[in-house]
Amino acid sequence: MAPSTQDVRKSRASDDLIMATNNSSIVSKRSVEHLYYPDEPHYFRFFVKKFRRRAPLVNRGYHLRLKVIDTLVRRFLQKQSNRKKVVVNLGCGSDVLPWQCQVRYPESCQDVTFLDVDYPDLIQKKRQIVLETPELQDLMGTWEVNDGSPIVLRSKKYCQVGCNLQQLSVLQSCLDTLFDVPNTEFLFVAEVSITYMDTKGANGVIEWAATVGNAEFCLLEQILPDGPDHPFSHTMLGHFNKMNAPLKSVHRYPTVASQEKRFKSLGWPSAESWTLWEAWSDNLFMTAAERRALDSVEPFDELEEFALFASHYFVILATTPKSEVQGHVSKVHEEADISSFQCPMTMRAYDSAQGHRRLGAAMLVREPNGGEFISHNFGQGPVGRMNSEDLYQISSQPVAPLPSVNTPSARVCHSLTDLGSAGVLLAGGRASPSTAFGDCWLFNKQLSAWERTKDLPVPLFRHSVTRLGSSTLALLAGGRKNHFETSAEYFLFDPAEGWKKCHVQSTPPALYSATLVCVGEVGSRAFTGILSGGSLEDSVINQKLYTWRLDISEPEPVLSFQQRIPKDRGLPGALARLGSSAIQSLGYTLLLGGVIEGVQLPSVYDIIVLKTTETDVRVVARLDGTDSSGVMRPFLMGSSVVHYGDGKFAILGGGATCYAMGTFWTPGSYSFRFDPKLLTQHSSGQTASRPEPIQYQETIEFSEGEKRPVE
C-alpha cells in the first residue's frame, strides 16, 4: 500500500528538520577549524558563509568530536590491507572529512575513495559548492556529474550519493556500481546522524552494513549514562525535542553497554567503545602535550561541564569479521558492595530566578543577636558574575544582615573557609579564566563585616583550602594561576601573619579543584590530612591519593606527602573527583558531587562517607537523599554545601551550561541530616530524620561600600 499524501508530507517535514541540524553543526566545526587548526587549509569555510566564534565549551566539545572521528578514520586508512578502501560518511551533511584526510594523510589516501551519502536535496547543495570551489575540486581530478542517478558526483577519490538512508537497496546498488564490493574494505561513519532516524530504520542501516563484507562501523552519538532525569540528559533531550529533531534511539540504547549489545545483535561480532570523556584521556586520540596545548588557544575553565558533555556522548567502532584482538571497551561500573543509608532531603523550590548561582561559596553567619543564616555569595548567575549574596533562613528568627562598608568584588571559583574565632577566610577567585585574583578577606563574625587581610603570594582560583583542626590556621593547595598554568605550591595562612610558603617533600603534581581535608592534630604544631582527585595540568583527573603531614614548629612550615593505595579501588569515583565538596562532621568526612574519570558519576555515589586516619582512607557508606516523597535530586555541580550544626547540611545553588543546549539551574535549596549512629548499626535501609527546609529570603547586592536588597 502506497503512503498517503499526508504521510509523505510529514516524512518530508521530518527530513527537513533533520537536515537543519547540519547548519548549526557546521558553524561550530568551522569555529573549531578557524581557531584550533590555523596551519591547515580550511574547508568548512566554503560551507559557512559567515564565521561565528562559538563559546570555548562548544569549541572544546566539537574539537573532541572531530578528533575522535579523525583518529579512527586515520587508523582505518593506515591499516595494512591488499584491498581497496572506501570511507562512507552516512548522513555526511557539509562535513569535509575527505579533504581533511587528503591533506593530513596523503600517502594513506592514495587508493582510497571517500563516499558522502545524505538526503538528495542536501547532497545537491553540497555538489554545487564542490563544483564551484577550485580548492574542493582539487581532490577529484576528473569527475562525472549525473542528475539522473543517485550517484550525483563520481570521481576516483570522491563520490556523492543522494539517498535517504531508509532506502538501503538504493545504497547497496550504488556501492555495487561504484566498487568491486567483495574486494573492498569499507568504513561506515555515522557522526550524530542515524540517531535522528526511527530506531527500526537506524538498526536497519547498522544491520545492512554488516552484510556488505569486510567492514567497520564508526558510530558517534548521544547516550543517557545516568538516566533521562539527569540534568544534562534532561536538558539535552529537551533541546532536540524543541528543534523537532528528537533523538530516536537513545532511550532504547541509553548506555555504552547497551550499544555494544545492539551491534552484536545486528551482525557485528567485535567492537571497541569509548565515552568521549574516556577518549579525552586516551593517548590513542590525544597525548598529554596535545591536551595542554589546547589551553593556549583560548581561555577555558569549564572542565566539569566539558566532562558532562563528553560523558553523554560515545563512539563505537565495530568490525566484521570478528577481530582476533580485544580492543578498548568502555568502563561499566557495577554497584559496589557498600552500605546505603537513607538521608531524605527536604527541598524548597526557588521562585523564578531566585537562587540561580553557581561557582560561588557559602558560609554560616551567626549574628550578634543570636540569629543564624546562610550567605551564598558571589559566583556566576544567569547574566554573568554576581556581586551579591543570597540569604537563607535556617531558624524561626528573621534574617537582618548588617551593612558592610567594604566588600570583595564579584568573582567565581574562590574559596571560603571558616576559621572559628578568626572569621571566615575568602581567598582568590577569578574574573575571566585569564584574570585570577590575589586579594583575601576575613569576615568578622562579631561585626558581620568583611575586612581585608594579606593577599595571596600569587593570584589563584580553583585552589583547595582546609582549616587545620580546631586552630585558626588554614592550608591552601594548588589552584590555577591562569587558564594555562597550574600551581604546585602550598601555603599556610595565619590571620596574624598572612601567608607562608610551605617547604614540600615528595611533592604531588600540580593540581586544581582537588579534595583537601585535615583529619588530625598532633599536638598544636602538626596536622595530618588527605589530598585526592583534582585535575592535572593536561585536564585529566588525578587518580592518586596522598596523605600529608604539616609541621609548623619551625619558621618555615614543612609539608610532607606519601602516596597511598585506596582500599576501595572498585568504587567508582570514591576519592578521585574533580570539583567535589568535602565537609567534616562528627568524625567523618562527607564527599559530595564532582566529576570522575571516563564516565558520568552514578547518582548513587553522589554523596559518600569517608573514615580517615593518618595512614588510611575508607569509604564506609553512601547516602541516598531520595525517597518516596518525589523530591528531585540536587545537581551537585557548581553548588555550595554548608554544615550548619547537629549533623545538618544545606546544598545551595548549582547548575551548569549543558554544552550548546541550554543551562540547567538547580531547582531549589536542599537540606539533609547525617546521623553517624546509623553507620554503627551495620544494616542498610536505615533512615535519618528529615530536617526543616532551608528558606531563601532575599538577594543583597554589594554596591559602593554598602549592601542593598534586590528589588
mmCIF file of all heavy atoms in Angstrom, residues 42-43 45-46 99 127-141 143:
data_model
loop_
_atom_site.group_PDB
_atom_site.id
_atom_site.type_symbol
_atom_site.label_atom_id
_atom_site.label_comp_id
_atom_site.label_asym_id
_atom_site.label_seq_id
_atom_site.Cartn_x
_atom_site.Cartn_y
_atom_site.Cartn_z
ATOM 1 N N HIS A 42 41.614 25.437 5.310
ATOM 2 C CA HIS A 42 40.283 25.457 5.921
ATOM 3 C C HIS A 42 39.232 25.167 4.853
ATOM 4 O O HIS A 42 39.112 25.906 3.869
ATOM 5 C CB HIS A 42 40.025 26.812 6.578
ATOM 6 C CG HIS A 42 40.859 27.044 7.799
ATOM 7 N ND1 HIS A 42 40.852 28.227 8.504
ATOM 8 C CD2 HIS A 42 41.734 26.226 8.451
ATOM 9 C CE1 HIS A 42 41.683 28.136 9.532
ATOM 10 N NE2 HIS A 42 42.232 26.934 9.511
ATOM 11 N N TYR A 43 38.462 24.097 5.080
ATOM 12 C CA TYR A 43 37.464 23.681 4.100
ATOM 13 C C TYR A 43 36.033 23.968 4.544
ATOM 14 O O TYR A 43 35.149 24.140 3.699
ATOM 15 C CB TYR A 43 37.622 22.186 3.798
ATOM 16 C CG TYR A 43 38.936 21.858 3.121
ATOM 17 C CD1 TYR A 43 39.952 21.189 3.804
ATOM 18 C CD2 TYR A 43 39.167 22.235 1.798
ATOM 19 C CE1 TYR A 43 41.158 20.898 3.183
ATOM 20 C CE2 TYR A 43 40.372 21.949 1.170
ATOM 21 C CZ TYR A 43 41.366 21.280 1.870
ATOM 22 O OH TYR A 43 42.564 21.007 1.250
ATOM 23 N N ARG A 45 35.002 26.608 5.636
ATOM 24 C CA ARG A 45 34.684 27.993 5.285
ATOM 25 C C ARG A 45 33.893 28.086 3.982
ATOM 26 O O ARG A 45 33.176 29.066 3.753
ATOM 27 C CB ARG A 45 35.961 28.824 5.188
ATOM 28 C CG ARG A 45 36.921 28.414 4.077
ATOM 29 C CD ARG A 45 38.260 29.136 4.231
ATOM 30 N NE ARG A 45 39.254 28.676 3.280
ATOM 31 C CZ ARG A 45 39.570 29.326 2.165
ATOM 32 N NH1 ARG A 45 38.956 30.464 1.864
ATOM 33 N NH2 ARG A 45 40.501 28.854 1.355
ATOM 34 N N PHE A 46 34.005 27.067 3.137
ATOM 35 C CA PHE A 46 33.260 27.102 1.878
ATOM 36 C C PHE A 46 31.780 26.765 2.075
ATOM 37 O O PHE A 46 30.961 27.015 1.191
ATOM 38 C CB PHE A 46 33.885 26.129 0.877
ATOM 39 C CG PHE A 46 35.331 26.424 0.577
ATOM 40 C CD1 PHE A 46 36.329 25.506 0.882
ATOM 41 C CD2 PHE A 46 35.700 27.641 0.024
ATOM 42 C CE1 PHE A 46 37.661 25.779 0.619
ATOM 43 C CE2 PHE A 46 37.038 27.927 -0.244
ATOM 44 C CZ PHE A 46 38.018 26.996 0.058
ATOM 45 N N TRP A 99 38.534 15.936 2.373
ATOM 46 C CA TRP A 99 39.594 16.905 2.098
ATOM 47 C C TRP A 99 40.592 16.976 3.258
ATOM 48 O O TRP A 99 41.796 17.094 3.039
ATOM 49 C CB TRP A 99 38.967 18.272 1.827
ATOM 50 C CG TRP A 99 38.156 18.266 0.569
ATOM 51 C CD1 TRP A 99 38.608 18.474 -0.709
ATOM 52 C CD2 TRP A 99 36.757 17.998 0.462
ATOM 53 N NE1 TRP A 99 37.574 18.364 -1.611
ATOM 54 C CE2 TRP A 99 36.418 18.072 -0.926
ATOM 55 C CE3 TRP A 99 35.742 17.712 1.371
ATOM 56 C CZ2 TRP A 99 35.127 17.872 -1.397
ATOM 57 C CZ3 TRP A 99 34.452 17.510 0.903
ATOM 58 C CH2 TRP A 99 34.147 17.588 -0.464
ATOM 59 N N ARG A 127 27.057 19.298 -3.715
ATOM 60 C CA ARG A 127 27.699 19.129 -5.022
ATOM 61 C C ARG A 127 27.939 20.482 -5.686
ATOM 62 O O ARG A 127 29.008 20.733 -6.263
ATOM 63 C CB ARG A 127 26.840 18.246 -5.926
ATOM 64 C CG ARG A 127 27.492 17.969 -7.281
ATOM 65 C CD ARG A 127 26.605 17.155 -8.195
ATOM 66 N NE ARG A 127 25.443 17.908 -8.669
ATOM 67 C CZ ARG A 127 24.593 17.458 -9.595
ATOM 68 N NH1 ARG A 127 24.769 16.246 -10.126
ATOM 69 N NH2 ARG A 127 23.564 18.195 -9.969
ATOM 70 N N GLN A 128 26.955 21.364 -5.592
ATOM 71 C CA GLN A 128 27.096 22.675 -6.218
ATOM 72 C C GLN A 128 28.279 23.442 -5.631
ATOM 73 O O GLN A 128 29.067 24.050 -6.365
ATOM 74 C CB GLN A 128 25.809 23.483 -6.038
ATOM 75 C CG GLN A 128 25.852 24.860 -6.684
ATOM 76 C CD GLN A 128 24.541 25.615 -6.523
ATOM 77 O OE1 GLN A 128 23.543 25.058 -6.059
ATOM 78 N NE2 GLN A 128 24.543 26.882 -6.896
ATOM 79 N N ILE A 129 28.419 23.398 -4.302
ATOM 80 C CA ILE A 129 29.534 24.102 -3.661
ATOM 81 C C ILE A 129 30.862 23.484 -4.075
ATOM 82 O O ILE A 129 31.835 24.192 -4.369
ATOM 83 C CB ILE A 129 29.363 24.074 -2.129
ATOM 84 C CG1 ILE A 129 28.149 24.915 -1.720
ATOM 85 C CG2 ILE A 129 30.624 24.586 -1.431
ATOM 86 C CD1 ILE A 129 27.791 24.816 -0.253
ATOM 87 N N VAL A 130 30.915 22.150 -4.131
ATOM 88 C CA VAL A 130 32.153 21.474 -4.528
ATOM 89 C C VAL A 130 32.547 21.865 -5.947
ATOM 90 O O VAL A 130 33.713 22.188 -6.233
ATOM 91 C CB VAL A 130 31.998 19.942 -4.404
ATOM 92 C CG1 VAL A 130 33.188 19.231 -5.035
ATOM 93 C CG2 VAL A 130 31.860 19.535 -2.943
ATOM 94 N N LEU A 131 31.575 21.864 -6.859
ATOM 95 C CA LEU A 131 31.878 22.154 -8.260
ATOM 96 C C LEU A 131 32.211 23.624 -8.497
ATOM 97 O O LEU A 131 32.853 23.962 -9.499
ATOM 98 C CB LEU A 131 30.698 21.740 -9.143
ATOM 99 C CG LEU A 131 30.398 20.233 -9.180
ATOM 100 C CD1 LEU A 131 29.200 19.946 -10.075
ATOM 101 C CD2 LEU A 131 31.612 19.443 -9.653
ATOM 102 N N GLU A 132 31.796 24.496 -7.585
ATOM 103 C CA GLU A 132 32.079 25.925 -7.742
ATOM 104 C C GLU A 132 33.341 26.355 -7.006
ATOM 105 O O GLU A 132 33.721 27.530 -7.074
ATOM 106 C CB GLU A 132 30.891 26.747 -7.221
ATOM 107 C CG GLU A 132 29.629 26.616 -8.058
ATOM 108 C CD GLU A 132 28.445 27.345 -7.437
ATOM 109 O OE1 GLU A 132 28.582 27.798 -6.273
ATOM 110 O OE2 GLU A 132 27.400 27.457 -8.102
ATOM 111 N N THR A 133 33.999 25.430 -6.324
ATOM 112 C CA THR A 133 35.133 25.785 -5.464
ATOM 113 C C THR A 133 36.387 25.049 -5.921
ATOM 114 O O THR A 133 36.503 23.832 -5.737
ATOM 115 C CB THR A 133 34.828 25.429 -3.997
ATOM 116 O OG1 THR A 133 33.567 25.995 -3.617
ATOM 117 C CG2 THR A 133 35.922 25.948 -3.083
ATOM 118 N N PRO A 134 37.350 25.745 -6.526
ATOM 119 C CA PRO A 134 38.565 25.077 -7.017
ATOM 120 C C PRO A 134 39.302 24.290 -5.941
ATOM 121 O O PRO A 134 39.840 23.210 -6.213
ATOM 122 C CB PRO A 134 39.412 26.251 -7.529
ATOM 123 C CG PRO A 134 38.418 27.315 -7.868
ATOM 124 C CD PRO A 134 37.317 27.173 -6.860
ATOM 125 N N GLU A 135 39.338 24.827 -4.700
ATOM 126 C CA GLU A 135 40.059 24.126 -3.636
ATOM 127 C C GLU A 135 39.426 22.774 -3.321
ATOM 128 O O GLU A 135 40.112 21.856 -2.859
ATOM 129 C CB GLU A 135 40.080 24.982 -2.360
ATOM 130 C CG GLU A 135 40.917 26.246 -2.478
ATOM 131 C CD GLU A 135 40.103 27.431 -2.977
ATOM 132 O OE1 GLU A 135 39.041 27.224 -3.618
ATOM 133 O OE2 GLU A 135 40.519 28.573 -2.720
ATOM 134 N N LEU A 136 38.124 22.632 -3.549
ATOM 135 C CA LEU A 136 37.449 21.358 -3.320
ATOM 136 C C LEU A 136 37.543 20.451 -4.542
ATOM 137 O O LEU A 136 37.580 19.223 -4.422
ATOM 138 C CB LEU A 136 35.981 21.597 -2.953
ATOM 139 C CG LEU A 136 35.735 22.422 -1.677
ATOM 140 C CD1 LEU A 136 34.240 22.639 -1.465
ATOM 141 C CD2 LEU A 136 36.343 21.746 -0.459
ATOM 142 N N GLN A 137 37.599 21.040 -5.716
ATOM 143 C CA GLN A 137 37.731 20.244 -6.938
ATOM 144 C C GLN A 137 39.065 19.510 -7.005
ATOM 145 O O GLN A 137 39.164 18.440 -7.612
ATOM 146 C CB GLN A 137 37.610 21.147 -8.171
ATOM 147 C CG GLN A 137 36.241 21.735 -8.402
ATOM 148 C CD GLN A 137 36.227 22.655 -9.611
ATOM 149 O OE1 GLN A 137 37.151 22.658 -10.416
ATOM 150 N NE2 GLN A 137 35.162 23.446 -9.733
ATOM 151 N N ASP A 138 40.091 20.081 -6.381
ATOM 152 C CA ASP A 138 41.436 19.502 -6.487
ATOM 153 C C ASP A 138 41.487 18.050 -6.046
ATOM 154 O O ASP A 138 42.311 17.275 -6.540
ATOM 155 C CB ASP A 138 42.421 20.324 -5.641
ATOM 156 C CG ASP A 138 42.719 21.678 -6.267
ATOM 157 O OD1 ASP A 138 42.393 21.855 -7.459
ATOM 158 O OD2 ASP A 138 43.253 22.555 -5.560
ATOM 159 N N LEU A 139 40.629 17.668 -5.112
ATOM 160 C CA LEU A 139 40.633 16.290 -4.620
ATOM 161 C C LEU A 139 40.233 15.308 -5.720
ATOM 162 O O LEU A 139 40.718 14.180 -5.765
ATOM 163 C CB LEU A 139 39.668 16.159 -3.431
ATOM 164 C CG LEU A 139 39.381 14.741 -2.917
ATOM 165 C CD1 LEU A 139 40.653 14.117 -2.353
ATOM 166 C CD2 LEU A 139 38.290 14.761 -1.858
ATOM 167 N N MET A 140 39.371 15.741 -6.631
ATOM 168 C CA MET A 140 38.716 14.795 -7.530
ATOM 169 C C MET A 140 39.497 14.494 -8.801
ATOM 170 O O MET A 140 39.345 13.421 -9.384
ATOM 171 C CB MET A 140 37.331 15.344 -7.910
ATOM 172 C CG MET A 140 36.399 15.491 -6.722
ATOM 173 S SD MET A 140 34.727 15.961 -7.206
ATOM 174 C CE MET A 140 35.011 17.621 -7.833
ATOM 175 N N GLY A 141 40.324 15.416 -9.250
ATOM 176 C CA GLY A 141 40.930 15.216 -10.562
ATOM 177 C C GLY A 141 39.867 15.418 -11.626
ATOM 178 O O GLY A 141 39.336 16.511 -11.805
ATOM 179 N N TRP A 143 35.975 14.277 -13.068
ATOM 180 C CA TRP A 143 34.760 13.805 -12.421
ATOM 181 C C TRP A 143 33.606 13.729 -13.409
ATOM 182 O O TRP A 143 33.659 14.300 -14.502
ATOM 183 C CB TRP A 143 34.387 14.711 -11.250
ATOM 184 C CG TRP A 143 34.035 16.120 -11.657
ATOM 185 C CD1 TRP A 143 32.823 16.586 -12.063
ATOM 186 C CD2 TRP A 143 34.919 17.235 -11.726
ATOM 187 N NE1 TRP A 143 32.885 17.915 -12.370
ATOM 188 C CE2 TRP A 143 34.164 18.347 -12.165
ATOM 189 C CE3 TRP A 143 36.287 17.416 -11.457
ATOM 190 C CZ2 TRP A 143 34.729 19.608 -12.345
ATOM 191 C CZ3 TRP A 143 36.837 18.667 -11.625
ATOM 192 C CH2 TRP A 143 36.064 19.753 -12.058
#
